Amino acid sequence: MVRSRRVTAAAVCGALALFAAPLRAQSPVVLEGFAARAQSSSDPLFGGLGLSAYSGPFGLRVSGALNAFRSTSTVQDYPQGYPSNGYGGGYGCRRGGCGGYGGAYGPGGAGSTLRVGAWTADADLIFEPFRSFAVGRALLLGFSPYAFGGIGYYAARPVGTADTGLTTVSYGAGVRHQLLGWLGVTAEARFRHALRGDSTYANFDRHRAQYRVGLTISFGGGRRATPIAAPSVVAVPVASPVGITPSASMASVGARIVPRVLDLADSYVDAPYQSGGTAPGGFDAPGFVQYVFGREGVTLPRTVRELARSGMTVSTSAANLRPGDLLFFANDGFTPDHVAIYAGRDRIIHATASGGGVRYDVLGQGARGTWFSAHLVTARRVVDGTQAQDRAPSEGDGAPPAGGSGASRPDEAPQPSGGTAR
């Protein structure tokens, strides 16, 4: 029994150490409140909390649950359902210890007491393949299945049983559905197996599933393509055409600049694509972004890599994006090599090699929109949420070599099947 508890304690400590790493990396975190019960309605009902951190499709979850009930101290006072489980009567804990009602405690006085009949603790590794794959979730009507496995502890206090605690390994599967951007529901089934086969806790059924339903709240984190350095500050010249000063807040700057940037970008729809292009005669993706923002006094770097370090990171979820944000895409699904300007209502405007020039595309709509949704890796806000500072353009902004090469890679989205999306 002591050795079993030591194994559990070591496992939980290791899980917490691993759990801290993704939190430091500002990965998405999910808080879950849940209820759990085994197959029979007479089994104890547990209520608990879980906390998960994710990195891509993998996550680590720690959770705990209690079976609590109110009861008076009489011989008839058993928690509902426990006798049919083979527990032989009710059980609970007081300051002096735990035992069965009418046994160790004997008849008591009037009134009721809140008692804990059983508890569980688990540390699980989760694999959720569609968590970062919006197209896959869309095909499943918004549901995201996952599998998990881990180590835990299951304890109860039946009457007349000394060893009621088990260190367990468990596994199972579940499904998650996001009702809103931050609120979701889960349902899963777990199978437990004791690590030691000689436990005297004979009432533990290793072949029955424990079912669990929960409500989740997601917060923090966002998809990021590569580990990148601290964001550089967006540069705005002192003598800018819109009269920006170093003391102006970027929230007010964004309200003034973004509509102008989007109107200017719209005026260049159908301008041709040219690798290394930075002017209306031919743009590549970062050249187009640099040009339209630069016309409104915002100096941005020249390459996709440098643009991906500008401004501030924002979540790629539709609820968090604002017009004027820069969206970054990766042909390989990892390293950003294409950039577009978010125009609102899931639309992007960009200089696209596969589209033949400057055009709109709608995320998630049609073959092209589906491709861009699946290859979206990060987003940056360059005219909101930070303080403007003065800096003149320089070679340190990541300008490509003479001849325009090296500015970006052509995107590999499917060819457009119709006219320009508006």
Side-chain angles (χ1 to χ4, degrees):
M1 180 68 174
V2 173
R3 180 180 179 183
S4 177
R5 289 179 176 173
R6 288 176 179 174
V7 171
T8 303
V12 171
C13 290
L16 291 175
L18 292 173
F19 188 71
L23 286 179
R24 289 194 299 269
Q26 297 182 344
S27 295
V29 177
V30 177
L31 176 66
E32 178 184 14
F34 63 88
R37 169 174 270 167
Q39 290 174 330
S40 172
S41 61
S42 63
D43 284 298
L45 176 66
F46 291 88
L49 292 173
L51 193 64
S52 310
Y54 286 87
S55 178
F58 295 96
L60 186 64
R61 177 178 66 187
V62 291
S63 59
L66 294 175
N67 166 250
F69 55 92
R70 283 195 172 276
S71 185
T72 56
S73 299
T74 66
V75 293
Q76 292 86 13
D77 188 17
Y78 304 132
Q80 182 179 3
Y82 277 59
S84 63
N85 254 351
Y87 287 95
Y91 57 88
C93 298
R94 290 183 173 178
R95 180 179 302 176
C98 299
Y101 305 134
Y105 298 152
S112 62
T113 304
L114 182 65
R115 306 184 187 280
V116 174
W119 60 273
T120 64
D122 293 283
D124 301 309
L125 180 65
I126 302 173
F127 177 60
E128 188 172 345
F130 295 142
R131 180 174 181 83
S132 303
F133 186 35
V135 176
R137 295 197 307 272
L139 293 175
L140 295 175
L141 303 179
F143 290 93
S144 181
Y146 60 89
F148 64 89
I151 190 169
Y153 199 74
Y154 187 104
R157 176 61 67 172
V159 173
T161 301
D163 182 8
T164 62
L166 285 175
T167 300
T168 67
V169 290
S170 60
Y171 57 88
V175 64
R176 185 188 317 276
H177 192 285
Q178 291 300 117
L179 301 177
L180 301 173
W182 54 273
L183 181 67
V185 293
T186 60
E188 68 180 41
R190 179 192 297 270
F191 292 88
R192 294 184 183 274
H193 297 270
L195 278 179
R196 296 174 55 194
D198 58 348
S199 173
T200 60
Y201 190 5
N203 294 309
F204 184 77
D205 191 336
R206 299 168 177 81
H207 305 292
R208 294 189 303 170
Q210 184 185 60
Y211 297 105
R212 167 168 158 174
V213 293
L215 189 67
T216 64
I217 298 175
S218 302
F219 55 94
R223 288 180 292 177
R224 290 176 53 171
T226 55
I228 54 180
S232 59
V233 180
V234 178
V236 181
V238 175
S240 68
V242 292
I244 302 171
T245 64
S247 61
S249 73
M250 289 307 286
S252 63
V253 169
R256 297 159 60 189
I257 289 182
V258 168
R260 298 183 186 185
V261 168
L262 294 178
D263 286 344
L264 182 62
D266 182 81
S267 70
Y268 290 113
V269 168
D270 295 330
Y273 179 88
Q274 179 182 329
S275 178
T278 60
F283 293 109
D284 65 5
F288 177 67
V289 170
Q290 185 191 48
Y291 181 84
V292 295
F293 275 93
R295 283 282 300 272
E296 297 302 326
V298 180
T299 302
L300 293 179
R302 174 64 183 91
T303 65
V304 173
R305 183 179 295 273
E306 290 296 322
L307 284 169
R309 290 197 287 263
S310 297
M312 58 180 289
T313 302
V314 293
S315 170
T316 55
S317 66
N320 293 319
L321 293 175
R322 299 179 188 172
D325 289 345
L326 302 185
L327 305 188
F328 294 86
F329 306 87
N331 285 308
D332 62 3
F334 183 74
T335 305
D337 47 24
H338 182 71
V339 60
I341 303 171
Y342 185 65
R345 298 191 309 233
D346 294 329
R347 298 175 304 148
I348 57 175
I349 183 169
H350 54 150
T352 161
S354 61
V358 177
R359 60 170 280 134
Y360 288 92
D361 283 294
V362 183
L363 296 175
Q365 180 175 310
R368 286 179 60 80
T370 299
W371 188 92
F372 282 111
S373 291
H375 290 79
L376 175 62
V377 292
T378 191
R380 308 288 291 189
R381 184 163 296 151
V382 295
V383 287
D384 195 0
T386 58
Q387 193 74 15
Q389 293 186 5
D390 298 322
R391 180 171 62 86
S394 68
E395 294 181 359
D397 285 331
S405 62
S408 66
R409 287 182 53 200
D411 62 274
E412 299 174 359
Q415 296 293 319
S417 58
T420 300
R422 286 283 185 174

